[in-house]
Amino acid sequence: MAPKRDYYEVLGVKKNASKEDIKKAYRKLARRYHPDLNPGNKEAEEKFKEVQEAYSVLSNDEKRKAYDTFGTAEPQPGPGAGRTTWRWQEGSPEGFQFNFGDLSGLEDILGDIFGAGEGARGRGRGRNIEYQIEIDFETAIKGGTRDISITRDIGGKPFTETISVKIPAGVDNGSRIRVPGKGGEARKGGNAGDLYLTVKVRPHPIFRREQNDIYVELPITVYEAALGARISVPTVDGTAVVTVPPGIQSGTKLRLRAKGVPHLRDGERGDQYVVVKIVLPEQMSESVKKKFEDLARTIPYNPRLYLEKYLR
């Protein structure tokens, strides 16, 4: 039998972590791996069991003290009605077994996470509903609200309603928005399930997003590239001005600080990058071509020198 992972490692906390830190870590992991949110995912199911087992020991002062001393635990029934004696045994072949009765306050913790707390014990909970919502690029960056129509079972019959959903600033393709209590109706008067909206962002005609940065291409003339210029460029906040230095090369990136996407957690914004693209005139008269020929003779240069050693 493979050895069990260290319980502190399972919860991602240090060995001197407080009970509150352990509880917070457990809530976070229980939300991530709960079977209701990962239907059919065996790996998530095993992770959830592992997290429960670790929390059952580290949240109990007596069990945690013995675990810190011996490294493993095996509960054994002891003498006396209504009493349990815990025998801690190094390298137990059976490992540690437990039941939900060992987890003090487990239902309160899961209730806080999934909306099935004290008032819903013994009663069913409605199923969660998954919807996809499509939003435009600007709404994904700045946030906003969207009215959507959803259909769910109320009283055993399909019921369609329109709800207003808050879109957090900074969401991206694949982001999930939770709307509590807007899922399926519960049995026996329990709590309704939740609505989960998966975000799809429509592409923008000129902006491109990479993580929290925004990119836009800036076409410039050969004259602006040679002589430099100050050019107005669009951003999600409005118009900004960039300085194009003389002699700039095509493909150069000019940065506009804090003009990108706000981070979902702390709101700190990424940057916008203006990518320079030198564009020649679409049509040139013979006289213009003659001037370019004269320029080529006057200022000859070869930008492909670095390729010559690879030529055959």
Side-chain angles (χ1 to χ4, degrees), residues 36-285:
D36 285 352
L37 302 182
N38 300 274
N41 188 331
K42 293 295 184 182
E43 183 179 355
E45 182 179 344
E46 291 304 315
K47 289 278 189 183
F48 185 67
K49 292 178 181 178
E50 188 178 47
V51 167
Q52 287 179 321
E53 180 177 327
Y55 181 73
S56 72
V57 172
L58 300 185
S59 63
N60 182 287
D61 292 339
E62 181 182 350
K63 299 175 193 177
R64 181 180 180 182
K65 181 178 179 181
Y67 176 75
D68 288 344
T69 303
F70 300 108
T72 188
E74 181 183 358
Q76 296 291 332
R83 296 176 59 193
T84 299
T85 300
W86 295 90
R87 178 162 62 89
W88 305 90
Q89 184 174 336
E90 182 70 28
S92 171
E94 297 299 326
F96 174 70
Q97 304 294 325
F98 70 98
N99 57 52
F100 287 125
D102 298 327
L103 297 183
S104 175
L106 172 66
E107 293 182 22
D108 289 336
I109 294 173
L110 294 181
D112 183 48
I113 297 173
F114 300 107
E118 192 73 37
R121 295 181 184 179
R123 296 179 289 182
R125 184 180 184 279
R127 66 181 182 88
N128 295 328
I129 296 176
E130 300 276 350
Y131 266 67
Q132 185 180 83
I133 180 173
E134 186 175 81
I135 61 176
D136 57 50
F137 189 88
E138 285 85 353
T139 301
I141 304 304
K142 297 181 178 181
T145 57
R146 276 285 304 277
D147 291 336
I148 65 170
S149 295
I150 63 169
T151 300
R152 56 198 185 103
D153 290 338
I154 302 293
K157 298 180 180 180
F159 174 75
T160 301
E161 65 174 316
T162 299
I163 62 173
S164 183
V165 178
K166 182 178 180 181
I167 310 295
V171 296
D172 200 359
N173 281 307
S175 295
R176 298 177 81 224
I177 300 172
R178 174 175 174 259
V179 186
K182 290 300 181 179
E185 187 181 37
R187 298 179 181 179
K188 301 180 181 180
N191 292 334
D194 298 329
L195 170 66
Y196 285 89
L197 301 173
T198 302
V199 174
K200 179 181 179 182
V201 182
R202 288 194 294 271
H204 194 276
I206 63 169
F207 294 126
R208 173 173 57 87
R209 175 176 177 176
E210 289 187 11
Q211 297 182 343
N212 286 342
D213 295 326
I214 295 175
Y215 288 77
V216 64
E217 193 174 80
L218 178 64
I220 65 173
T221 68
V222 290
Y223 324 117
E224 291 168 329
L227 304 175
R230 285 176 56 82
I231 302 175
S232 297
V233 296
T235 75
V236 292
D237 298 322
T239 301
V241 176
V242 295
T243 299
V244 177
I248 196 169
Q249 302 294 323
S250 195
T252 300
K253 293 187 293 186
L254 306 174
R255 181 167 66 172
L256 295 172
R257 295 182 181 273
K259 292 293 185 180
V261 184
H263 196 285
L264 277 170
R265 292 181 181 176
D266 56 21
E268 183 176 352
R269 294 184 64 171
D271 300 322
Q272 177 170 316
Y273 288 93
V274 178
V275 184
V276 171
K277 180 181 179 181
I278 300 173
V279 179
L280 290 169
E282 292 185 2
Q283 296 180 351
M284 289 188 289
S285 66

